[in-house]
Every structure is written in C-alpha cells, then in structure tokens.
Amino acid sequence: MLFFFFSKSILAKEPNIFAEWPNPPKVSICDEHINKEMVLKSVKYWEEKGHHIQKVYIRKNCVYEEGSIYIRLSQEDVDDFQWANTYSKWNINTRIYERATINFSEDALNMQDVYTHELGHAFGYIHTKDKNHIMHGPQGPFDHLSYRSTRTY
C-alpha cells in the first residue's frame, strides 16, 4: 500500500538527474531471491515517467557488460543501516552511464518502494527533499555519491 501512496503523490517537482543512459539499458535479475514482480512494477513506474529499458532478464549468472542494470541480493555490499544501494559506473565528462548494480539486503526483498527508489538511482536520479517523492532521501553535497557511484575518465 505504501507504493500506491508514493505513486499518487509524486511529481510536484522532479529531482535532478545526475547521469543518463545513452540507450535504453537491459535489466538483469541476478538472484532467485529478488522479487521479479516488484522489479516489473518498478520498471513500469519509471517507464510511465518516460524512461525506457530494452528488456528484463532473469539470469542465474550475470556477466557484467555495458548498458545493463543488475539487481542482486548482496548482504556484504549493503551497509547495516541500508536496505539497498545502487553502485553505478559512469563517465564524469559526459555523465553517461556504462552500467549499474542494485544490491539488496535480505530485509528489503519484499519492499516495493525500495525497488522503485533504487531503480530511480539506476536511472540517474539523486535524492530530493520532497518527503512524498519516491526519491526522498538524505541530502548533502555528496548525495550523488551516496549510492556508491564510480566515475570513469
């Protein structure tokens, strides 16, 4: 139900986009514990906002390649105070994404808003101050780095 609340109250003002994909990315579910239906709902949410993906894949073994967003369970890559995080690789000069990985903790596997929020980071969105927006989160000068971006030159 919380997801419905966010989707109804969104868009007073969109948060900034920090980087963009040159072409629609592929989304790969890389772990059997990831909730496919929640991924599909999140993809639909962002598609309704104008973002596009090539396709959602379910893979047993993900091979990292450019142009892809990977979603996986990875307790060791998520800090104790986080439900999930998004690690992205992008070019600092062009602000173009190469790939992104969304890491989930076990605690967040059935939280629709976490899937949607993290996919927002994978689409380049940073946190907003608007408490009713799906991208609400911590504010600060390094917010765009709070989800473990890795810049390439």
Side-chain angles (χ1 to χ4, degrees):
M1 282 299 156
L2 190 57
F3 175 72
F4 181 74
F5 168 77
F6 275 118
S7 64
K8 294 285 282 186
S9 63
I10 199 156
L11 286 185
K13 184 178 178 192
E14 284 296 314
N16 292 326
I17 294 180
F18 192 74
E20 297 183 285
W21 292 93
N23 298 302
K26 302 171 197 166
V27 174
S28 293
I29 299 171
C30 301
D31 191 287
E32 64 185 20
H33 297 95
I34 296 298
N35 188 317
K36 179 185 173 188
E37 295 307 314
M38 289 191 184
V39 170
L40 294 174
K41 266 187 167 177
S42 298
V43 165
K44 182 178 178 188
Y45 174 90
W46 288 108
E47 285 180 330
E48 289 173 354
K49 303 287 179 230
H51 296 279
H52 303 285
I53 65 152
Q54 287 183 29
K55 187 175 178 179
V56 176
Y57 296 91
I58 299 173
R59 299 181 175 172
K60 288 187 178 186
N61 295 314
C62 285
V63 177
Y64 293 96
E65 58 187 41
E66 289 189 17
S68 296
I69 298 170
Y70 301 94
I71 304 173
R72 65 190 188 125
L73 172 67
S74 181
Q75 202 66 41
E76 62 272 3
D77 290 323
V78 180
D79 295 328
D80 290 339
F81 60 89
Q82 294 178 307
W83 285 321
N85 62 36
T86 300
Y87 168 88
S88 57
K89 185 175 180 187
W90 51 277
N91 183 299
I92 192 170
N93 298 312
T94 62
R95 290 193 172 187
I96 298 293
Y97 272 128
E98 293 176 18
R99 69 175 182 256
T101 302
I102 301 172
N103 299 302
F104 275 85
S105 71
E106 288 182 21
D107 295 338
L109 289 175
N110 292 308
M111 297 176 146
Q112 180 65 61
D113 287 343
V114 176
Y115 282 85
T116 306
H117 177 93
E118 294 302 325
L119 194 57
H121 283 313
F123 277 119
Y125 286 91
I126 61 174
H127 290 145
T128 180
K129 293 178 184 177
D130 182 351
K131 291 182 181 184
N132 293 321
H133 198 288
I134 196 67
M135 293 310 298
H136 177 261
Q139 300 293 303
F142 299 104
D143 177 62
H144 64 280
L145 300 177
S146 69
Y147 54 97
R148 298 183 183 186
S149 292
T150 300
R151 295 179 283 186
T152 57
Y153 299 88

